Amino acid sequence: MLNFLKDFEKKLDIRITCSQETEPLGTAGPLALARDKLIDNSGEPFFVLNSDVISEYPLKEMIEFHKSHGGEASIMVTKVDEPSKYGVVVMDGTTGKVEKFVEKPKIFVGNKINAGIYLLNPSVLDRIELKPTSIEKEVFPKIAAEKKLYAMVLPGFWMDIGQPKDYITGLRLYLDSLQKKSSSKLVRGSHIIGNVLVDESAVIGEGCLIGPDVAIGPGCEIEPGVRLSNCTVMRGVRIKKHACISSSIIGWHSTVGRWARIENMTILGEDVHIADEVYSNGGVVLPHKEIKSSILKPEIVM
């Protein structure tokens, strides 16, 4: 991950400083650990973002909202169809002032949940001790009780992509958003169906059919006659002739053999090699493995 961030430093011409936990500190403890890196005497608020969430990130609008209400903290909320599965944020519909949080409500109290995007004044750090602490369950309810916590409804899509099937759903939502906002980033052609994102360094052979909802990373080689749909193909992957992949994630530097069929949320870790004509029905394969026989039902291959 540190190497990945170094690449991003160069790409974006910014400085990225890492604060590493030696023990898990929950969702608030790490802010206390990084206190010296977060406070710079400017008094300006700072963002806290959950890294397993994908959305359109309207950060400028959030800064304006935060400054307009004068509270201590702002959180983004998103509307969901089944609020009983989540912790619901009960808020004033006009001002956005948060009244309380209700965990997995049995009766309807609202349909807005915490979206994992926060803007906090430095004073919030004074409320957090250096120990395992939950920002959602221990810190925010206290700020809300003092009427200093405000919520802004997130426009556009939102998805928690911490699980593989949700990652694939998140990919679809992200590509839909790209199609609406900057469709020039998506590829077009007779071999493409729907929304497809392909890194410019990837090579795609003749007679492939790709899409909908596919992302192909840098340095990938897709040989002739391959069929891809609803999948992510990560950096440096080689997919050999006439392989078929759907609803799956192919990890970095892996190889999928000729006429192989990979489907039903199969996950290949880094450097996994699938032999020719192998079928995987929902296998989860840990890194550095060679698979020579079919995986007929969902299972973990260690």
Side-chain angles (χ1 to χ4, degrees):
M1 187 169 171
L2 293 173
N3 289 336
F4 174 82
L5 292 174
K6 282 196 179 79
D7 289 346
F8 254 77
E9 272 191 319
K10 292 191 191 103
K11 192 174 173 182
L12 301 175
D13 196 24
I14 57 171
R15 188 162 65 93
I16 298 175
T17 307
C18 290
S19 171
Q20 286 181 273
E21 297 163 273
T22 52
E23 59 172 317
L25 291 169
T27 50
L31 298 177
L33 183 66
R35 183 189 174 98
D36 296 344
K37 297 178 172 75
L38 294 170
I39 291 185
D40 61 1
N41 299 323
S42 69
E44 287 291 309
F46 58 90
F47 284 102
V48 177
L49 311 174
N50 286 1
S51 61
D52 57 358
V53 162
I54 190 163
S55 74
E56 289 174 3
Y57 292 105
L59 302 181
K60 284 181 182 163
E61 294 89 332
M62 196 174 185
I63 291 170
E64 286 166 18
F65 172 73
H66 185 75
K67 288 181 174 168
S68 72
H69 65 63
E72 192 174 3
S74 299
I75 67 172
M76 280 276 188
V77 294
T78 186
K79 292 179 185 172
V80 290
D81 295 331
E82 292 184 63
S84 59
K85 288 188 189 165
Y86 303 93
V88 171
V89 181
V90 181
M91 57 188 273
D92 183 302
T94 310
T95 62
K97 186 179 283 182
V98 174
E99 294 164 16
K100 61 180 176 178
F101 296 85
V102 181
E103 194 61 36
K104 296 185 178 171
K106 297 281 186 289
I107 56 167
F108 186 84
V109 291
N111 64 346
K112 299 185 185 71
I113 66 164
N114 179 347
I117 302 169
Y118 318 133
L119 187 55
L120 312 178
N121 286 353
S123 58
V124 172
L125 294 171
D126 298 333
R127 299 173 178 270
I128 303 169
E129 293 179 54
L130 184 54
K131 63 177 189 181
T133 314
S134 164
I135 199 165
E136 302 85 0
K137 293 179 179 166
E138 296 173 66
V139 180
F140 286 156
K142 287 177 184 169
I143 303 175
E146 294 174 22
K147 301 187 171 16
K148 294 179 181 175
L149 181 66
Y150 289 77
M152 173 181 166
V153 179
L154 178 70
F157 76 99
W158 177 89
M159 192 75 203
D160 178 330
I161 54 170
Q163 297 294 324
K165 71 178 190 324
D166 297 330
Y167 181 96
I168 294 293
T169 302
L171 172 65
R172 175 175 58 76
L173 295 171
Y174 172 67
L175 294 176
D176 281 349
S177 170
L178 263 190
Q179 200 272 325
K180 290 179 190 127
K181 299 205 160 183
S182 49
S183 62
S184 60
K185 291 183 179 175
L186 299 172
V187 292
R188 294 277 174 259
S190 58
H191 63 303
I192 300 293
I193 303 171
N195 298 330
V196 175
L197 190 62
V198 179
D199 187 88
E200 57 192 17
S201 64
V203 178
I204 296 176
E206 293 291 313
C208 291
L209 189 58
I210 296 174
D213 304 319
V214 172
I216 298 174
C220 289
E221 184 183 352
I222 314 296
E223 292 188 1
V226 164
R227 175 74 178 102
L228 303 177
S229 64
N230 304 301
C231 63
T232 290
V233 180
M234 295 189 174
R235 176 191 295 270
V237 166
R238 183 181 179 198
I239 299 175
K240 296 185 182 177
K241 290 177 184 175
H242 306 294
C244 179
I245 299 172
S246 66
S247 304
S248 296
I249 299 171
I250 310 300
W252 310 267
H253 308 291
S254 292
T255 306
V256 176
R258 294 181 183 194
W259 297 101
R261 187 176 185 92
I262 309 291
E263 61 188 24
N264 191 25
M265 217 48 67
T266 290
I267 317 296
L268 305 186
E270 183 171 12
D271 182 38
V272 167
H273 301 281
I274 303 286
D276 293 352
E277 300 181 26
V278 162
Y279 170 60
S280 173
N281 175 26
V284 176
V285 185
L286 274 61
H288 315 298
K289 293 277 173 289
E290 188 170 359
I291 303 297
K292 292 180 177 175
S293 55
S294 292
I295 302 167
L296 299 178
K297 63 181 195 298
E299 62 178 289
I300 297 172
V301 179
M302 302 175 74

